[in-house]
Amino acid sequence: MSGTTTLVWFRRDLRLSDNPALTAAVADSDHVVAVYVHAPEEEIPWSPGAATRWWLHHSLTALDAALRRKGVALTLRRGPTLPTLIALARAAGASKVVWNRLYDPATVARDTAVKTGLRDLGFECESYNANLLHEPWEIRTGQGGPYRVFTPFWRACQMRLDVQPAPLPAPRRLHGPSQPIDSLALDELDLLPKIPWDAAFSQHWSPGERGAHQRLEEFCGEWLGRYDEGRNRPDLPASSRLSPHLHFGEISPRQCLVAARNAIVEQPAAAKSADSFIREIGWREFAYHLLHHYPHTPEQPLDERFERFPWVESPALLRAWQQGRTGYPIVDAGLRELWTTGFMHNRVRMIVASLLTKNLQQPWLAGARWFWDTLVDADLAANTLGWQWTAGCGADAAPFFRIFNPVLQAERYDPARVYIRRWLPELTQLPDKWIHRPWEAPAEVLAQAGVTLGHTYPRPIVELPASRDAALAAYATIREPVAPART
Ligand SMILES: Cc1cc2nc3c(=O)[nH]c(=O)nc-3n(C[C@H](O)[C@H](O)[C@H](O)COP(=O)(O)OP(=O)(O)OC[C@H]3O[C@@H](n4cnc5c(N)ncnc54)[C@H](O)[C@@H]3O)c2cc1C
């Protein structure tokens, strides 16, 4: 093959625009080979869950179609990654391999080994930042250490937001290798579930770069101005729902930032809401900052006192929670939304996580693992932050004693009872007054609504004030820090 060839190793950067590795490959070489290597065993113990595998299948389909429109096909291979990349680079006559960085502990270790292995054989390698506004190590406290509190972290980030480079355009044309390269068929990666529990996912999502930009455009046009007041409302489509697209790198945070800022030019009244939206992107940055500096936290609490927390560990309670059978309508609605769509609203995530870790005293990791398997946006950094924050054992965590009351939360954030009725058809006929607390409804009201507690809908799995007291008593046993050992 004449001319230089670069191999672009796609991972969670499944887009053509604002993709620095792809742009560099096109600028530096005559031919480009685009490859995705499937190697879930290299991400153990956090290999992709079932819902993200569904997303990945469709996102790879979309990426392949987008690449073909530019002139090359996506080559699919199975791992292990290093020997696969070496064989492919040799077959394609490539002298260079480029990729965009990932930050999970297992992938960092794998990527470091890949870089060393390729360089030892004389291949050039380069990696880039495509998925964060700032590298997790770039933002430092005055003392040079990592942040553990969001507000000062975000203040430090904001000082650097104006110097963000403009998003890169997609390459106009790609020139593939002159010899055809073998590829697996997508179905051979076996990403789709055997039991079709994902049947409704495609009604809710359009994986791929095009779907991501459509969603961003719709959000900025219709909801950005109301984000501040609407983002806590699970009954409204008021948040962006960009999280799975961001997780798979179908869109970059920089593109979201620019779109939100451009929207303000046309709708100046949206400025405050746009700031709130950008701040949420900041929480994503914070999650990656924490994962980088505290790589043990996907399994262990950041607050070490919680190593001694007396979790109850009941498989029956966990199962009832997973299946949305707790008897607390907002919790059950959230878990059913998750099962049906692969998504749950942020406010409801906090409510269900609080009930599991505090009222039911189940380990936060059990909840994190369930989310990992069922969320289409399951993301190690954000999931770890979300669970540890809610359980009270993470960075900038809600104090443990702030235990969400699912009834009050539901009345406040689902005021028209739309969310509950959407996900719990068996309660639809209950009057607004009782639908968030059916166990308090008079017998004749329940009968008229066709609700039989314990039969058509569960009784509460736990009593709120008593379980709250039990959680606080458990917390009291670990509240004091461990005294340093005497030497
Ligand atoms: C227990 C728990 C588990 C969570 N697990 C995940 C997860 O696995 N993956 C995930 O992406 N988010 C997770 N979150 C954070 C948050 O719930 C989702 O990012 C959000 O609901 C996505 O909806 P959206 O795209 O409409 O968000 P928007 O409100 O439109 O926010 C824009 C973007 O900012 C980012 N973002 C927003 N809130 C957070 C946050 N609290 N932490 C980190 N990033 C944030 C997301 O990328 C999101 O797409 C979790 C939160 C909790 C409480």
Side-chain angles (χ1 to χ4, degrees):
M1 192 182 294
S2 64
T4 53
T5 300
T6 295
L7 216 139
V8 183
W9 176 26
F10 282 90
R11 298 105 66 76
R12 291 201 286 275
D13 51 350
L14 305 179
R15 63 176 186 266
L16 303 194
S17 61
D18 204 23
N19 185 326
L22 180 63
T23 301
V26 172
D28 293 352
S29 56
D30 303 303
H31 305 280
V32 164
V33 176
V35 58
Y36 180 84
V37 181
H38 187 55
E41 57 288 342
E42 293 174 1
E43 296 183 49
I44 288 173
W46 296 98
S47 304
T52 48
R53 288 200 301 274
W54 175 88
W55 191 286
L56 179 60
H57 177 97
H58 295 288
S59 193
L60 289 173
T61 307
L63 178 68
D64 180 47
L67 283 166
R68 282 174 194 269
R69 285 194 289 274
K70 299 284 180 181
V72 303
L74 180 64
T75 299
L76 298 175
R77 291 285 165 95
R78 269 191 181 280
T81 298
L82 178 59
T84 303
L85 288 177
I86 293 169
L88 188 59
R90 283 184 173 146
S95 54
K96 188 167 181 179
V97 185
V98 295
W99 61 84
N100 295 308
R101 284 189 276 279
L102 295 174
Y103 303 91
D104 312 352
T107 55
V108 170
R110 190 265 319 274
D111 293 357
T112 307
V114 165
K115 197 175 250 184
T116 308
L118 286 168
R119 283 189 174 154
D120 285 350
L121 292 174
F123 292 102
E124 271 184 80
C125 294
E126 210 60 65
S127 64
Y128 301 85
N129 172 13
N131 290 331
L132 294 173
L133 296 171
H134 307 105
E135 292 289 14
W137 49 87
E138 286 172 358
I139 307 292
R140 297 195 158 271
T141 63
Q143 290 73 44
Y147 284 94
R148 288 171 73 125
V149 177
F150 175 73
T151 304
F153 167 82
W154 184 231
R155 214 177 292 129
C157 291
Q158 280 175 307
M159 294 204 289
R160 306 163 62 121
L161 279 189
D162 288 335
V163 294
Q164 280 282 321
L168 299 162
R172 288 163 68 88
R173 177 117 200 98
L174 297 170
H175 298 282
S178 45
Q179 304 291 329
I181 303 259
D182 287 346
S183 172
L184 295 172
L186 181 57
D187 286 342
E188 289 179 82
L189 301 188
D190 231 0
L191 294 168
L192 295 176
K194 302 271 177 284
I195 305 164
W197 63 280
D198 57 332
F201 282 15
S202 47
Q203 292 164 25
H204 297 273
W205 304 105
S206 299
E209 185 172 9
R210 194 176 276 175
H213 283 276
Q214 264 166 12
R215 201 170 272 271
L216 177 64
E217 215 173 286
E218 276 166 31
F219 170 69
C220 286
E222 285 187 34
W223 288 99
L224 182 65
R226 287 174 277 173
Y227 181 78
D228 237 356
E229 60 189 76
R231 69 188 199 86
N232 275 310
R233 293 275 303 272
D235 56 328
L236 302 176
S239 71
S240 71
R241 304 209 167 205
L242 282 165
S243 49
H245 297 288
L246 280 162
H247 171 74
F248 281 99
E250 297 167 353
I251 195 164
S252 73
R254 198 158 50 179
Q255 290 171 316
C256 297
L257 179 75
V258 169
R261 286 182 167 171
N262 287 346
I264 307 174
V265 177
E266 284 175 21
Q267 327 161 36
K272 188 162 168 287
S273 270
D275 272 352
S276 304
F277 172 66
I278 295 167
R279 189 180 157 89
E280 292 308 305
I281 304 274
W283 273 98
R284 179 175 180 274
E285 297 278 312
F286 187 48
Y288 277 88
H289 179 79
L290 292 171
L291 185 61
H292 170 76
H293 289 287
Y294 305 101
H296 61 285
T297 51
E299 285 89 27
Q300 288 159 34
L302 187 67
D303 180 340
E304 287 167 13
R305 294 172 307 160
F306 278 80
E307 304 266 17
R308 296 178 283 121
F309 192 86
W311 303 111
V312 172
E313 299 209 38
S314 155
L317 289 179
L318 179 63
R319 197 85 197 119
W321 176 87
Q322 289 170 336
Q323 293 178 341
R325 291 188 291 104
T326 68
Y328 289 101
I330 187 79
V331 173
D332 296 341
L335 287 152
R336 295 207 208 158
E337 178 187 21
L338 174 62
W339 185 254
T340 310
T341 69
F343 186 83
M344 191 193 295
H345 186 275
N346 181 58
R347 169 64 44 184
V348 188
R349 291 186 203 204
M350 293 193 284
I351 299 169
V352 306
S354 173
L355 189 98
L356 185 75
T357 56
K358 293 177 176 170
N359 303 88
L360 301 180
Q361 284 186 51
Q362 299 303 297
W364 63 270
L365 199 48
R369 289 198 173 109
W370 183 247
F371 271 27
W372 186 255
D373 207 31
T374 51
L375 276 172
V376 286
D377 67 15
D379 179 279
L380 196 59
N383 201 38
T384 302
L385 170 65
W387 277 96
Q388 291 218 19
W389 185 90
T390 317
C393 60
D396 203 2
F400 186 88
F401 54 79
R402 206 180 292 154
I403 299 177
F404 284 67
N405 179 312
V407 178
L408 300 182
Q409 289 281 316
E411 285 174 345
R412 180 157 179 205
Y413 295 112
D414 183 27
R417 280 60 172 164
V418 169
Y419 182 73
I420 294 293
R421 290 201 168 92
R422 188 180 304 151
W423 294 110
L424 300 182
E426 66 270 44
L427 298 185
T428 311
Q429 301 302 324
L430 272 180
D432 283 4
K433 182 172 180 198
W434 304 111
I435 197 166
H436 287 315
R437 47 175 94 222
W439 62 92
E440 289 179 7
E444 63 276 14
V445 172
L446 289 171
Q448 249 174 22
V451 176
T452 312
L453 289 180
H455 182 60
T456 61
Y457 185 71
R459 293 180 195 285
I461 193 167
V462 72
E463 211 242 326
L464 287 181
S467 60
R468 187 176 190 283
D469 291 348
L472 294 177
Y475 176 58
T477 66
I478 63 151
R479 192 173 330 174
E480 299 308 323
V482 187
R486 283 170 195 234
T487 51

